[in-house]
Amino acid sequence: MTNFKNRVLWDPQIDAVDELYPVSNLNDVNEVLKKAGGRFGVCTRFGIGYCRSKANLAVSAREQLSLCSIHEFGDGKAIIWGTEMEDWHDHLFPPGERQVRAKSHLFTATIVQTGPMTFDVEYILQLEVGGMIPTWITTPITIDTLERLFCHARTCFDTDQVTNIDGNSNSA
């Protein structure tokens, strides 16, 4: 889900996915989390990401700039979350022509292990597509994309191979 190679497998509208500003040393982030009593898990990835979608019949191309993180818990749970950067962060966009700004006010995927090779996922998305197009036109596109995400996830776990978040395969 976090790189172009993997996302293009389930999102036909995606045009670019980049991890622009990753935090390579997570020690400080995890020190802050420890002060909260450890209830936020261990941060294993944190940074600012960029994605751009292609135009389609209903919607012109869109782009997003998100602060994202992955937190893992010792009991087999994980939370992947992101929130849109504010307009005053626009200088962090990669060079190039700007597109209409879509905003994920919040997205989270909460993963709870339910057995040795099973898990439940709860996905929340609060999305503002941006532009002048009514929500009733864009909602079916969003729903279709999310259905493709979950169908793709099923194919990853219905085989003897498990695909990790970076798109690399490991034997199950």
Side-chain angles (χ1 to χ4, degrees):
M1 290 190 331
T2 59
N3 63 35
F4 182 78
K5 177 181 143 190
N6 202 24
R7 184 156 171 186
V8 75
L9 296 173
W10 58 268
D11 186 353
Q13 292 302 120
I14 201 64
D15 193 32
V17 176
D18 291 307
E19 188 175 16
L20 297 178
Y21 305 101
V23 173
S24 57
N25 183 344
L26 297 171
N27 292 335
D28 291 339
V29 174
N30 283 311
E31 282 300 316
V32 171
L33 294 176
K34 283 181 190 174
K35 291 179 182 178
R39 65 179 186 256
F40 298 113
V42 174
C43 181
T44 59
R45 198 165 187 174
F46 187 79
I48 296 172
Y50 170 78
C51 68
R52 182 179 60 244
S53 65
K54 301 173 191 171
N56 65 32
L57 293 175
V59 181
S60 62
R62 298 290 196 259
E63 64 183 351
Q64 293 182 264
L65 188 67
S66 302
L67 177 68
C68 305
S69 187
I70 300 173
H71 295 251
E72 295 180 3
F73 300 82
D75 57 359
K77 297 177 187 156
I79 296 176
I80 303 167
W81 65 267
T83 188
E84 192 68 22
M85 303 293 289
E86 297 293 334
D87 292 339
W88 57 275
H89 294 111
D90 284 357
H91 65 281
L92 298 173
F93 274 109
E97 182 182 340
R98 299 281 57 94
Q99 306 298 319
V100 173
R101 182 101 179 254
K103 295 187 177 186
S104 292
H105 299 290
L106 173 69
F107 74 84
T108 64
T110 303
I111 304 161
V112 178
Q113 189 172 0
T114 57
M117 291 299 291
T118 59
F119 57 90
D120 288 335
V121 176
E122 178 181 79
Y123 190 87
I124 297 171
L125 176 63
Q126 296 174 347
L127 179 67
E128 180 184 332
V129 175
M132 305 291 278
I133 298 178
T135 304
W136 62 269
I137 291 177
T138 60
T139 298
I141 297 167
T142 303
I143 290 170
D144 179 63
T145 302
L146 292 175
E147 287 175 347
R148 289 173 182 264
L149 165 63
F150 281 99
C151 286
H152 173 69
R154 271 189 218 100
T155 64
C156 291
F157 294 100
D158 282 344
T159 68
D160 289 339
Q161 293 290 313
V162 176
T163 303
N164 66 26
I165 199 137
D166 293 317
N168 298 317
S169 293
N170 300 322
S171 294

